[in-house]
Amino acid sequence: MTHTYPGGAFLLGILLTLSSARAQNVPELPGTSPLTTEGDTSAQMVAGIGRFLDRQTEKAAADRAMYWHRDFSSEAAYEKSTQTNRERLRVIIGAVDPRQPARALEILSSTANPAVIAETDILVIKTVRWPALQGVSGEGLWLEPKGEVRARIVVLPDADQTPEMVVGMARGLVPERQFARRLAEHGCEVLVPVLVSRDDTFSGNARLNRFTNQPHREWVYRQAHEMGRHVIGYEVQKVLAAIDYFQSLPRTGNSPTQKIGVAGYAEGGLIALYAAAVDTRIAACLVSGYFDSRQALWREPIYRNLFGILREFGDAELASLIAPRALVVEYSPLPAISGPPAPREGRSGAAPGLLRNPDYSAVEAEFERATALLKPARAPMAGQWALISGTEGLATGPCSDRALAAFLSALGIPTTRLTLPGQAPVDSRTVFDPADRQNKQVRELENFTQGLLRASEQARTDFFWRKVGSSPVQEYPATTAPFTRTFHEEILGSFGPPSAPLNARARRILARPNWTGFEVVLDVYPDVFAWGYLLVPNDLKPGERRPVVVCQHGLEGVPADTINDDTNSVAFRYYKAFAPRLADRGFVVFSPHNPYRGRDNFRELQRKANPLGRSLFSIIIAQHDRILGWLATLPFVDVKRIGFYGLSYGGKTAMRVPAALDGYCLSICSGDFNDWVRKNASTDASLSYMFTGEYEMPEWNLGHTFNYAEMAALIAPRPFMVERGHNDGVGLDEWVAYEYAKVRRLYDSLDLGDRTTIEFFNGPHTINGVGTFDFLERHLGWKANR
């Protein structure tokens, strides 16, 4: 469920109090300098994080060498030394599931459609299917030359091209661009899979009557990302299954070798490049309309988002994995993709993303960087490489005569000049709708991913609970420590501890009978800062140290929302002024700002962070690390009694930040605790994020590692509480109770059952502030002022 909270300007009541507070002679916070900045601090935070991530992206490109240990002493030595990189690439693209045996192609025919659907004087065309993963098949067209088979090729059209188009059986491409047909006419056996398209027809659930404008590729990407899989990896697996079949065939005719190649355009070029990078059986690769620097990957369609790819691989590094095999890169025009299908009645929620033609100079520089990576053996390793373009660096093709000739030559078919396209094949099928085939491809991948989701609880048991579930309480922190590191550094991602000087700045903004409010800014990394409101009780005694409650706002919120006590305001509807209510009870309260505000502006931060193996919470955790460190310097704070309490997206923070940082002595998750993996990846639940615009929600491979029960287990043995309204649409009571039962069982097994509880109340998505306040008083050891 999505909720929008008030924007950047302070609320009127706070502004009125602010002017009177500044007029009073209240001492400044110790160790701080005056805060003088003005404007929308939230927007400034998001912009600063964006600049930081831009620099980290450039740094990652410079640091990639640390992941590589190439041995150039021989081709065999090079292959062996890069095998680790190849295996890591498989994990990044999610090509990790065992493939089904592909001993034959299944020829599809019926009473309406013959086995041979088209035939010319040179080739025969059939519709075929082949197994790839359990319940997942490749499907497309098989082109058999009537003469000698000189090579075998998987041809990958763009996502919005059908196999029929590149074969010449459907409109859309002039004969010269029908590259599957042209390769077959030069003696190659060609298999043309259909790719998951950019249409949105099947992106939804008819039973629920819930549909989106997500391209099919995004629809598959979102659910797969949560499970450590990817639409790219799925399609690479289909290609490799076809290679499995090719490998099983005996050599025919007089050709001394029948090499295997892959060729693709645009999205097909992407799949071809990745397939050739991970599988050394592919002798030659033609990439048309894809090769470029990937530093701006975050701008591209989200179905190209790969967690951690830029730490180790740009397109140049991918190309280097193909060496010493052949690679032909063609600088050709990209499809005009300015975004997903347009939102319309009943369909919305897709992520922005576009494709732009790169400058030739950028493509050339990336290609040259790839060849430079192969030094000192540059010449023999890249000897069969070619970069094809038009005159003066103009685009050519896609799949021009020069590109196809270079590719055929690399496959052992010397071709000084391609023959003109021959007789056009005519489709004889009387019953065929490419939409039916596309629907089947989308549904197969959805069903496979949903199967992973159903099996994920057992996977998490094997990964986590079997190792920590029976630990005695005295050994528990040491047992969970490695999992905490994995969660923080590999799942959420870490930029390391704060690196900028603290540079604490503050100003008084609020004066109330029981407490005084300060606005505080702390530096974290260059261009990254933490910001929030500190509420300090007025009755502090000299030398007294009080417990602190950190009160976290939700999506599109600001710190002022947690303080607003205007009962008619939208903010009060959700937060019930829980920060000042706790300050009135005598707690020190800090209400920090988390940067999930600004709609696509903040979601771009997730897109920038993911290719670096990081996330939005990589920044948020560092900000809270700085906040905790600063709070510890205040003379009235008891550093051992700092609790966390967050609503909605603040509840997401309550699950992640205390799990990663031990500075919080307890955590309360309000309005968010859930079967979180299911919430993100399920296509069968109407409340799933699969149907909404929160495209930043999926977290890489969370399904096989840490659901909310496992995150709570990382918070244990510290106190942990869930606050849940029966009518809160972010989840179902049954989901929440089922997931929480695992938490309760853990605490009971540690003989710490009194440290955890769940409060259900008859209400919506809001702070209830009843059982949670009692929980804070009890576990923070504070007798509240009443």
Side-chain angles (χ1 to χ4, degrees), residues 405-456:
F407 179 59
L408 287 168
S409 178
L411 289 169
I413 308 173
T415 307
T416 56
R417 184 173 182 178
L418 263 66
T419 60
L420 294 174
Q423 174 189 356
V426 178
D427 194 340
S428 65
R429 289 172 292 187
T430 59
V431 179
F432 173 68
D433 184 352
D436 293 338
R437 182 179 57 191
Q438 180 68 205
N439 184 26
K440 184 176 182 180
Q441 292 288 293
V442 173
R443 291 284 89 85
E444 283 184 353
L445 293 178
E446 179 179 337
N447 290 339
F448 181 83
T449 307
Q450 295 302 302
L452 292 175
L453 173 60
R454 288 189 293 273
S456 65

Side-chain angles (χ1 to χ4, degrees), residues 599-610:
R599 298 183 183 275
D600 285 338
N601 288 338
F602 92 78
R603 293 187 169 98
E604 285 179 358
L605 302 181
Q606 184 86 318
R607 294 293 313 280
K608 288 183 177 182
N610 271 190

Side-chain angles (χ1 to χ4, degrees), residues 639-661:
V639 69
K640 294 182 179 180
R641 293 189 292 166
I642 302 177
F644 191 96
Y645 185 1
L647 172 70
S648 194
Y649 227 123
K652 293 172 185 42
T653 311
M655 298 308 303
R656 290 159 180 79
V657 172
L661 301 177

